[in-house]
Amino acid sequence: MEYLSIVFQEVYKILFLLVPVLVSVAMIVWLDRRVWAFVQKRQGPNVVGPFGLLQSLADALKYIFKEVIIPSSSNKVIFILAPIVTMTLALIAWAVIPFSATQVLADINVGILYLFAVSSLGVYGIIMGGWASNSKYPFLGAIRSAAQMVSYEVSIGVIIINVLLCVGSLNLNDIVIAQQNMWFVIPLFPMFVIFFISALAETNRPPFDLPEAEAELVAGYQTEYSGMMYAMFWLGEYANILLMCAMGAILFLGGWMSPIDVYPFTLVPGAIWLILKILLLFILFALVKAIVPRYRYDQLMRLGWKVFLPLSLIWVVLTASYLFYFNLLPVN
Amino acid sequence: MIAHAIFFYTFSLIAVVSAIMVTASKNTVHSVFFLILDFISISCLFIMIGAEFLGMIMLIVYVGAVAVLFLFVVMMLNVAQQKNQWFAGKQSSKHIPVGLIISTLIFVEVIIVIGGWKYKPEIFDINNSLASKSVSNTHSLGQVLYTDYIHVFQISGMILLVAMVGAIVLTFRQRSGVKKQSYIKQISRERAEGVEVLEVQSNKGVKIDD
């Protein structure tokens, strides 16, 4: 009986985390389209509900009532599994995101490694979907995206090492608390820029949306998907984008901490600061989508391997030597 | 404790079944997916015994990088047909002795390890090792790796580097007739080099791009 009550408590906590995440994913799609339209001097979705806020809800309703088509020559099990994998991986990563010093579902010791591992598993949804469709465009999209995500993961990993050198712990809450005096965005600004661009590539956002480049590959790995399965890919993608924004906010922008440590600001709950920081990063993501043209594939690979990787490696050496020379290495 | 046992047996059952399915499934891509499932359940087992760092690194390195490359190779090359032939034809008899030798070796190794554990349990006593102290798993691993075993650690890193350089050297070839784009050239182009104004005579045209 006692065991059951623990299970129910955990389920309640998980629901309390996942439902807001899913709702905010729906809202963020609307925000993305509005920002995009704003840059291009259009209106964007403004019909359904006040300011078009309910547009995503209407879209979701449409997807639910559409027929799910499974191609006859596809590998059916993997074809159905692919969107489920994408969606699940995008959601389970939220378990370790700290919303305040105590409000975190799982405060594990290796939180940042967990986040990194889950985001690197995200590539499987895309490869599975692309391969199982048994069609040319999805396969090309899947191959492209696998190469792209594996390449940019490397530089993200090295950037995380930079931050960890300054923190001395893999726990996400420790990382946030270490930024009490100064956010890491100030001393590690070049790393923040590289992290932001790598996050764009990791989540297949424009200008790196080659896996679904509509001019070349119809819709990339999701060409054969329809109805709710397509919507799940879509939700997973946006949940991943939000997750990357949260990761950037925690690693560089002080997570749930208020920007200035003075009285009226500290009253605001940490969750609200974190959400504001995530929104700031997301609006940057949306602006990039509207402003920058798509990269060519070889340019993308060159940027990842020949520019970002050496730069972030050099920065690791610099950070480590600086901390060592001035005896600032965190020791506990 | 019961919950612990339930999770342990679930993960180990998944690990064993998927390990069998890696060899048993006829589709090569399915084999790789089962291999990934195997890796994931093994890393879950690592996390269950408190080796969280090892479990996460297993996920990142094996599932996030190595298995993706496996999938790449298996999807691009047509290995699926070959595997079907091995299953159907008589050629499979060639591979059986090699497989038997390797599996016997692994079996003997496992027996030696387990035997040592039964024979001298104090060597493997967890209470004596660093893991039981108050520092976390990751800290104690780092403390051991970068102090007592620093040379072994560095040498293994060097071996990996040499292997990587070797693989690149082996596959590197200079291809002729490939158009390469120089970014510096593209960016530093001036209008004068790119545009030329010509007087075009009628019925003659201009010759471009020679």
Side-chain angles (χ1 to χ4, degrees):
Chain A
M1 227 35 235
E2 196 187 347
Y3 191 67
L4 268 183
S5 77
I6 295 174
V7 169
F8 276 125
Q9 239 172 8
E10 290 303 313
V11 168
Y12 169 75
K13 274 193 212 161
I14 291 169
L15 280 182
F16 201 70
L17 176 71
L18 281 193
V19 172
V21 166
L22 282 174
V23 172
S24 53
V25 164
M27 291 290 96
I28 224 86
V29 176
W30 168 81
L31 181 70
D32 190 25
R33 294 173 66 180
R34 282 299 282 227
V35 172
W36 197 10
F38 180 75
V39 175
Q40 298 176 342
K41 285 204 163 181
R42 290 186 287 116
Q43 285 289 316
N46 64 346
V47 178
V48 192
F51 310 107
L53 266 171
L54 300 178
Q55 177 68 43
S56 304
L57 216 69
D59 283 346
L61 217 66
K62 186 189 82 172
Y63 282 124
I64 289 171
F65 287 112
K66 276 194 164 184
E67 187 192 349
V68 172
I69 299 166
I70 298 174
S72 59
S73 64
S74 68
N75 194 320
K76 289 180 187 63
V77 179
I78 297 181
F79 188 81
I80 294 168
L81 267 178
I84 299 174
V85 166
T86 306
M87 180 94 178
T88 316
L89 285 174
L91 292 182
I92 59 169
W94 285 90
V96 294
I97 300 284
F99 288 93
S100 79
T102 49
Q103 282 169 316
V104 48
L105 193 64
D107 196 11
I108 57 175
N109 278 335
V110 285
I112 190 72
L113 277 184
Y114 174 82
L115 266 188
F116 187 59
V118 170
S119 73
S120 70
L121 293 190
V123 67
Y124 281 111
I126 292 172
I127 303 187
M128 285 163 88
W131 180 78
S133 300
N134 199 5
S135 150
K136 286 186 184 62
Y137 292 128
F139 188 60
L140 278 173
I143 291 284
R144 275 187 183 188
S145 116
Q148 172 181 336
M149 287 170 86
V150 169
S151 317
Y152 279 84
E153 232 168 66
V154 181
S155 62
I156 287 189
V158 177
I159 291 164
I160 288 175
I161 291 175
N162 264 309
V163 174
L164 293 183
L165 274 174
C166 307
V167 180
S169 164
L170 296 172
N171 184 302
L172 286 175
N173 250 328
D174 289 349
I175 293 175
V176 172
I177 289 166
Q179 305 179 51
Q180 206 149 28
N181 299 323
M182 194 199 283
W183 290 359
F184 286 146
V185 68
I186 299 165
L188 297 175
F189 185 71
M191 288 302 103
F192 176 66
V193 174
I194 293 180
F195 176 84
F196 182 75
I197 299 171
S198 303
L200 285 175
E202 183 80 1
T203 51
N204 296 328
R205 283 282 291 188
F208 305 112
D209 59 339
L210 287 150
E212 41 195 292
E214 61 272 359
E216 308 153 29
L217 295 181
V218 190
Y221 58 90
Q222 32 181 262
T223 306
E224 304 286 349
Y225 282 88
S226 59
M228 203 53 212
M229 279 158 75
Y230 175 76
M232 275 175 82
F233 259 131
W234 200 56
L235 277 175
E237 207 171 288
Y238 273 90
N240 254 332
I241 291 167
L242 271 188
L243 183 78
M244 274 294 167
C245 293
M247 216 163 137
I250 287 167
L251 286 178
F252 292 102
L253 299 179
W256 43 261
M257 263 192 303
S258 69
I260 347 169
D261 207 9
V262 287
Y263 172 64
F265 288 102
T266 46
L267 274 184
V268 181
I272 294 195
W273 285 122
L274 184 67
I275 289 168
L276 282 178
K277 284 165 189 172
I278 292 174
L279 269 181
L280 175 79
L281 281 177
F282 183 78
I283 289 174
L284 279 178
F285 262 64
L287 282 176
V288 170
K289 179 181 180 178
I291 293 168
V292 187
R294 183 177 295 135
Y295 262 56
R296 219 172 47 217
Y297 193 67
D298 61 312
Q299 289 174 329
L300 171 93
M301 282 298 162
R302 176 181 164 273
L303 190 70
W305 287 108
K306 292 190 183 165
V307 181
F308 284 176
L309 185 60
L311 242 165
S312 42
L313 271 175
I314 289 168
W315 207 267
V316 166
V317 176
L318 279 181
T319 315
S321 350
Y322 175 82
L323 291 173
F324 186 74
Y325 187 73
F326 290 99
N327 213 5
L328 293 168
L329 275 172
V331 187
N332 37 356
Chain B
M1 229 35 227
I2 288 177
H4 198 270
I6 290 173
F7 279 116
F8 173 78
Y9 284 113
T10 317
F11 287 134
S12 37
L13 190 75
I14 294 173
V16 170
V17 169
S18 54
I20 292 169
M21 287 307 287
V22 172
T23 50
S25 71
K26 285 203 172 169
N27 192 330
T28 336
V29 176
H30 289 181
S31 292
V32 179
F33 281 128
F34 278 116
L35 187 69
I36 293 161
L37 187 62
D38 201 23
F39 283 149
I40 291 175
S41 38
I42 294 291
S43 80
C44 288
L45 287 176
F46 269 134
I47 292 164
M48 279 189 68
I49 60 168
E52 58 217 3
F53 184 76
L54 216 57
M56 287 301 160
I57 289 295
M58 178 111 183
L59 269 188
I60 293 170
V61 174
Y62 283 94
V63 185
V66 174
V68 175
L69 296 181
F70 275 11
L71 260 187
F72 240 69
V73 173
V74 166
M75 283 176 176
M76 303 271 260
L77 307 174
N78 213 349
V79 199
Q81 265 182 346
Q82 284 182 10
K83 197 173 179 183
N84 273 339
Q85 281 171 2
W86 284 342
F87 270 102
K90 284 174 186 168
Q91 295 115 305
S92 61
S93 56
K94 264 190 244 164
H95 305 285
I96 287 176
V98 182
L100 272 181
I101 291 169
I102 292 174
S103 49
T104 322
L105 268 177
I106 294 173
F107 183 69
V108 168
E109 280 172 4
V110 170
I111 288 291
I112 290 171
V113 169
I114 294 175
W117 182 29
K118 284 281 172 199
Y119 184 62
K120 273 209 162 140
E122 66 269 13
I123 299 174
F124 295 89
D125 198 1
I126 298 170
N127 294 328
N128 291 338
S129 65
L130 276 164
S132 63
K133 286 181 190 166
S134 57
V135 285
S136 76
N137 184 281
T138 318
H139 272 148
S140 49
L141 222 129
Q143 273 162 10
V144 172
L145 260 191
Y146 288 96
T147 52
D148 298 348
Y149 298 100
I150 178 73
H151 297 298
V152 184
F153 186 63
Q154 294 280 338
I155 288 168
S156 60
M158 286 304 288
I159 291 171
L160 279 177
L161 183 69
V162 169
M164 194 181 79
V165 172
I168 293 171
V169 168
L170 281 178
T171 53
F172 186 76
R173 58 189 166 128
Q174 204 91 43
R175 277 183 297 183
S176 57
V178 180
K179 270 197 175 178
K180 275 191 182 154
Q181 282 157 329
S182 157
Y183 294 88
I184 298 161
K185 243 188 207 168
Q186 283 180 344
I187 295 166
S188 57
R189 245 159 77 107
E190 297 282 323
R191 187 171 183 274
E193 306 164 44
V195 184
E196 195 181 350
V197 182
L198 283 178
E199 199 78 21
V200 184
Q201 287 180 323
S202 96
N203 277 333
K204 285 210 171 147
V206 210
K207 200 182 177 201
I208 40 168
D209 223 16
D210 46 349

